[in-house]
Amino acid sequence: MGKRLTSIVTRTGDNGTTGLGDGSRLSKTAPRVMAMGDVDELNSAVGMLLALGVNVDEDLQTPTLLRTVQQDLFDLGGELSIPGYTLLKAERVVALDEWLRQANARLPRLEEFILPGGSLAAAQAHMARTVCRRAERSVVALAEQHPVNATVLQFLNRFSDLLFVLARLVNRVAGGVDEQWNRSR
């Protein structure tokens, strides 16, 4: 693993570059740096979701899952910051799949697209989902130019699905229902 920050104000980025974990420097607009930033934003969006006190079901242990995902997102960001380094394990995708299996069993089948929103926590889950999709697109753009661990893409894809399902669950727990898109309005 590369160097850890010992000071927050380094002034090394004043010229529009940022340092990677391997000591190299890239433009702050480079695909790798953009992907790292989008993953960082996603982690903050998950933190906001946790701050809202999301807990849909004791069996699903949602807060524990989301805190674990935050750790996974740091691993993912570490991978992105050190080209060729692998931290995120395939078992983490399997864990998301298992949570999704259990959560989907608690929800009615979707009949139509739903509008993002509902309770504040559900709306934040939808916001986190859209940030996750952007992070996924950024990592895909990076992977088109440089090798990226396939688990990273799988994890982001699965996590965006999880956030969608979580938003639906949160709305149900809050006593609401999914507001469906009205195609005939």
Side-chain angles (χ1 to χ4, degrees), residues 88-133:
L88 192 64
K89 307 290 184 224
E91 300 87 61
R92 299 307 310 140
V93 176
V94 172
L96 297 183
D97 280 334
E98 178 56 25
W99 190 94
L100 278 162
R101 186 191 63 72
Q102 292 177 36
N104 273 317
R106 291 167 166 78
L107 290 168
R109 186 169 183 257
L110 277 174
E111 301 295 326
E112 187 56 82
F113 290 107
I114 64 168
L115 301 179
S119 70
L120 181 59
Q124 179 59 32
H126 280 294
M127 284 298 298
R129 173 185 57 79
T130 63
V131 173
C132 188
R133 287 289 189 205

Side-chain angles (χ1 to χ4, degrees), residues 14-31:
D14 289 353
N15 66 355
T17 66
T18 195
L20 297 184
D22 65 359
S24 63
R25 299 196 68 76
L26 289 177
S27 167
K28 290 184 179 186
T29 61

Side-chain angles (χ1 to χ4, degrees), residues 46-81:
V46 174
M48 179 63 83
L49 195 52
L50 281 164
L52 290 171
V54 172
N55 192 10
V56 294
D57 183 320
E58 286 301 316
D59 291 340
L60 292 175
Q61 299 183 4
T62 309
T64 301
L65 169 79
L66 292 176
R67 283 190 291 277
T68 300
V69 165
Q70 284 193 298
Q71 297 290 331
D72 294 335
L73 290 171
F74 258 86
D75 288 345
L76 196 157
E79 268 195 48
L80 295 175
S81 75

Side-chain angles (χ1 to χ4, degrees), residues 131-170:
V131 173
C132 188
R133 287 289 189 205
R134 180 166 21 92
E136 181 183 13
R137 290 189 304 270
S138 292
V139 173
V140 168
L142 173 63
E144 289 173 350
Q145 298 177 13
H146 304 281
V148 171
N149 175 9
T151 301
V152 168
L153 289 169
Q154 294 166 351
F155 184 87
L156 290 171
N157 185 271
R158 208 72 84 253
F159 187 50
S160 65
D161 292 342
L162 185 149
L163 289 164
F164 178 81
V165 171
L166 179 59
R168 292 188 68 211
L169 282 171
V170 167

